[in-house]
Amino acid sequence: MKSFGVATVSAIALVLPLGLVSPASAAVDEKRPAVVETRVIGHSVNGRAITAWRLGSPNSSKKVLLLGAMHGNERGAVKTLRALRDGRAIEGADIWVVPVVNPDGYAKNTRQNARKVDLNRNFSTGWKRAGGAVNSGRKAFSEPESRAIRRFADEIDPRYTISFHQPLNGIDIRETGNRAWAKRLAAQIRLPKRAFDCFSKCHGTYSMWFRKHHPQSAVITVEMTKNPSNKYLERIAPRAILRSFNATR
Ligand SMILES: [Zn+2]
């Protein structure tokens, strides 16, 4: 952790109302020692920033990508990912977190983005035209949010990635690319192992796309319950995530 600039940032923090200090370089944020970098990886349809935090050890070869709120009304994991960000420094993994993939949907508490597209049906693998709640967009990657995730995942090429959802209460450990990790995560995060089929057959999901384009890596969709407790979201789940790939804090 570099210590330069801490005094300056603290001085500014004293004279500005809370929330106006933007940690453009989180390396000087003494309150969040786990954060080593903050980056804007794209923008939503309505121009909201899609932000990524880098936590842990950048030199670790164990690269991880965690995605929250791809469906804007599934807000539980955002608390979990913030708890990961806000705790002590993390060692043993290089973890990138995109807490809110769908910031427009998050702002309005809707599943879809501002163009009413379900981003988890807008990826190219198995994409098909669909409407209603699972509106897949006018074509694969028609939406800036899914394009931002594609670009970012391709750039960092994580060895592990988790896409967090609600409320189906379980982990699908089939075809994750790393069954040992999947079973470990399922046990630690206290969710039953079960098969999810997206109501009939999945199409155009992040997991399908990632699996095809990063075949050496592992991907898991985690479905939390409808109303997890704060204890679960802010203590149990963050610890489970770290333990699943033997990272510590
Ligand atoms: Zn979802």
Side-chain angles (χ1 to χ4, degrees), residues 148-208:
I149 296 302
R150 171 180 62 179
R151 197 164 57 231
F152 191 58
D154 282 347
E155 182 196 325
I156 65 172
D157 190 21
R159 199 166 119 197
Y160 305 95
T161 180
I162 306 174
S163 180
F164 288 95
H165 292 265
Q166 285 172 279
L168 301 176
N169 183 30
I171 291 189
D172 192 338
I173 68 162
R174 304 167 305 166
E175 301 174 54
T176 60
N178 186 331
R179 195 171 173 82
W181 172 55
K183 287 172 78 170
R184 205 158 58 232
L185 180 65
Q188 292 281 351
I189 208 164
R190 304 182 190 177
L191 292 171
K193 299 186 281 286
R194 53 172 50 166
F196 296 125
D197 60 5
C198 307
F199 310 113
S200 57
K201 189 175 185 307
C202 294
H203 50 94
T205 68
Y206 167 75
S207 298
M208 294 171 74

Side-chain angles (χ1 to χ4, degrees), residues 5-248:
V6 169
T8 313
V9 170
S10 300
I12 293 168
L14 287 175
V15 297
L16 287 176
L18 202 63
L20 286 188
V21 179
S22 168
S25 169
V28 295
D29 190 341
E30 61 188 346
K31 290 204 180 85
R32 290 182 178 143
V35 180
V36 294
E37 187 179 341
T38 299
R39 202 194 287 183
V40 173
I41 63 163
H43 290 85
S44 67
V45 168
N46 285 343
R48 288 188 171 89
I50 301 169
T51 302
W53 308 315
R54 189 178 205 175
L55 315 177
S57 322
N59 294 329
S60 173
S61 61
K62 211 183 286 172
K63 303 220 174 293
V64 179
L65 175 60
L66 307 176
L67 304 178
M70 191 172 298
H71 293 139
N73 60 344
E74 298 169 9
R75 310 164 78 84
V78 180
K79 283 190 176 178
T80 296
L81 298 173
R82 284 183 183 146
L84 270 182
R85 174 195 65 181
D86 291 347
R88 290 199 298 268
I90 294 170
E91 291 179 15
D94 179 19
I95 306 169
W96 281 99
V97 176
V98 182
V100 181
V101 171
N102 177 7
D104 294 343
Y106 189 77
K108 286 193 145 183
N109 201 24
T110 59
R111 175 183 175 91
Q112 298 89 355
N113 74 352
R115 284 200 285 245
K116 296 188 165 40
V117 174
D118 181 338
L119 298 175
N120 207 31
R121 301 293 183 278
N122 191 236
F123 288 75
S124 55
T125 304
W127 184 90
K128 69 173 189 185
R129 197 169 296 281
V134 293
N135 174 10
S136 57
R138 60 187 165 76
K139 62 178 183 179
F141 291 116
S142 58
E143 305 308 301
E145 297 91 347
S146 47
R147 288 198 301 274
I149 296 302
R150 171 180 62 179
R151 197 164 57 231
F152 191 58
D154 282 347
E155 182 196 325
I156 65 172
D157 190 21
R159 199 166 119 197
Y160 305 95
T161 180
I162 306 174
S163 180
F164 288 95
H165 292 265
Q166 285 172 279
L168 301 176
N169 183 30
I171 291 189
D172 192 338
I173 68 162
R174 304 167 305 166
E175 301 174 54
T176 60
N178 186 331
R179 195 171 173 82
W181 172 55
K183 287 172 78 170
R184 205 158 58 232
L185 180 65
Q188 292 281 351
I189 208 164
R190 304 182 190 177
L191 292 171
K193 299 186 281 286
R194 53 172 50 166
F196 296 125
D197 60 5
C198 307
F199 310 113
S200 57
K201 189 175 185 307
C202 294
H203 50 94
T205 68
Y206 167 75
S207 298
M208 294 171 74
W209 169 82
F210 186 86
R211 196 171 294 131
K212 177 169 182 200
H213 292 270
H214 297 259
Q216 307 302 318
S217 303
V219 56
I220 295 183
T221 299
V222 166
E223 286 270 0
M224 293 175 165
T225 60
K226 187 165 191 286
N227 291 305
S229 67
N230 280 338
K231 181 184 174 195
Y232 179 84
L233 292 173
E234 294 174 343
R235 299 178 65 126
I236 295 170
R239 199 166 52 212
I241 293 162
L242 293 179
R243 282 184 181 167
S244 76
F245 36 77
N246 293 318
T248 56

